[in-house]
Amino acid sequence: MTTVIPDTVRLRAPETIADPGLRLLVRRAIDGRRADGAHLAIGIEGGGMAVSMATGMALALERLELMAQADSVYGTSAGALAAAYAAAGRMGDAATVLSQACTRAFIDPVRPLRGRPVVSLDHLMGLVRARPPMPRAGPGPDLRVLVAGVDDGGLRTLRGFGDLGEVLEAVRAGMTIPFFAGAAARYRGTLVSDGGLLESIPVATPLAEGATHVIALRSRDPAYRKGRRGRLYGVAEDLVIGRLPGRLPELIRARPARYDAEADALAGAAQGRGPLAGRAVQLAPAAGTPLVGRLQTDRARVAAAIEAGARVVIEALGERAPKR
């Protein structure tokens, strides 16, 4: 699967781009240098197959030769997989893997009736190993994967990978969401789970770790909020998560409020309000854009979401070249 950037599209002039992070990204690509003293991070939201939208954005950034201008790329949950491919400069393979994953071998909602998780990470990682995110030869962003500590409930950033095996181990650990993807994983001796339990949209952590600008690639539109748990849903959820180890039950209960706070902060930044203003920006589909759910297996809908994500980047950073 490929998303083609039309030959008629070129990068906009940096001075026409209002956001400082996006302007810096384009200026670096045009000038051909990154020695500007800034640290520009890309943060990729997850959400199971909903990551198709953010994957399309990352693919467009790569095709426009912009992804290589970032200093780091953070991923959480399924966004960790997209981030690994972004760091490797192989976003086309990421899109292909998502398409190949649209099967019951990967996602099977009735599998829990047989005592197994809904999602088979074994199957997904087999697809990934067939198209591995091998490190790029030239300069590019440093990969960072967010995970949640099971025992202490703390957020961790996995980085400094020695080889491809460590990258794949970290990505898998970062996607191990309770119930849906099975038991928590051990990474370098520590029991960890899906980073989205603590930070669904990687923005706060990149800033805390020294980024001067963060560009968040969203899987959902800016208006999306999880809201409060319904009473009956909460009762059912508590029955399931009560058996989970460590701090996982409380992290799961608190996640909707955390997610909504992150989305609110980015919405405020878009209006020039709050601590993220001028430091973080989100690229997100417009309200009403068809989204895909976390358990989507319709290959056509996933492809459409990837294409829609690519269009978000083209509309934000591209312009039609004049006819000769």
Side-chain angles (χ1 to χ4, degrees):
M1 175 185 295
T2 59
T3 296
V4 178
I5 304 298
D7 292 336
T8 56
V9 172
R10 67 179 184 185
L11 292 175
R12 289 169 53 187
E15 59 270 18
T16 68
I17 300 173
D19 178 77
L22 294 174
R23 185 168 60 246
L24 175 64
L25 186 69
V26 172
R27 187 174 297 282
R28 283 180 172 186
I30 292 175
D31 293 348
R33 56 186 176 85
R34 293 165 55 179
D36 47 33
H39 184 111
L40 201 161
I42 305 288
I44 305 181
E45 181 182 0
M49 295 301 285
V51 78
S52 303
M53 187 71 66
T55 296
M57 296 177 197
L59 178 55
L61 289 175
E62 181 176 293
R63 296 286 170 84
L64 290 170
E65 301 183 354
L66 292 170
M67 183 61 76
Q69 306 306 321
D71 297 290
S72 58
V73 57
Y74 287 73
T76 190
S77 192
L81 181 61
Y85 280 107
R90 298 177 66 101
M91 284 307 305
D93 284 338
T96 298
V97 166
L98 284 180
S99 177
Q100 293 174 337
C102 293
T103 65
R104 290 299 183 197
F106 174 45
I107 298 172
D108 186 353
V110 303
R111 199 154 35 209
L113 298 178
R114 302 191 295 272
R116 298 163 60 193
V118 174
V119 170
S120 172
L121 289 183
D122 286 340
H123 180 78
L124 177 62
M125 297 311 293
L127 298 176
V128 172
R129 280 188 285 272
R131 295 176 176 272
M134 299 294 292
R136 69 170 75 219
D142 180 50
L143 172 63
R144 304 182 185 183
V145 175
L146 300 186
V147 297
V150 171
D151 295 326
D152 62 7
L155 188 66
R156 291 171 169 77
T157 303
L158 307 183
R159 55 190 293 189
F161 307 108
D163 53 31
L164 177 62
E166 285 196 354
V167 169
L168 298 185
E169 187 180 359
V171 167
R172 176 171 182 143
M175 295 190 296
T176 309
I177 188 165
F179 178 72
F180 286 101
R186 286 200 176 273
Y187 185 83
R188 295 178 181 173
T190 301
L191 196 62
V192 299
S193 189
D194 191 302
L197 295 173
L198 287 167
E199 190 170 333
S200 295
I201 312 167
V203 170
T205 294
L207 290 172
E209 294 181 348
T212 55
H213 306 81
V214 181
I215 300 170
L217 308 186
R218 299 292 309 278
S219 296
R220 301 175 175 93
D221 66 62
Y224 176 84
R225 299 291 186 276
K226 291 186 177 295
R228 297 178 60 183
R229 300 190 310 170
R231 186 174 64 85
L232 292 179
Y233 178 86
V235 171
E237 184 180 63
D238 287 344
L239 288 174
V240 174
I241 68 176
R243 298 188 294 270
L244 295 175
R247 305 282 296 278
L248 289 181
E250 62 187 89
L251 295 183
I252 293 172
R253 293 187 189 102
R255 187 187 179 214
R258 283 198 183 96
Y259 183 96
D260 291 353
E262 292 172 23
D264 288 344
L266 282 168
Q271 298 174 1
R273 297 185 287 101
L276 298 185
R279 306 172 69 203
V281 63
Q282 61 181 335
L283 292 177
T289 301
L291 305 177
V292 298
R294 92 171 46 220
L295 302 180
Q296 181 62 256
T297 56
D298 187 315
R299 187 169 283 118
R301 291 189 179 185
V302 167
I306 292 173
E307 294 288 344
R311 287 195 298 271
V312 170
V313 169
I314 293 171
E315 291 169 4
L317 303 177
E319 65 180 10
R320 190 174 298 277
K323 294 182 179 180
R324 295 183 178 180

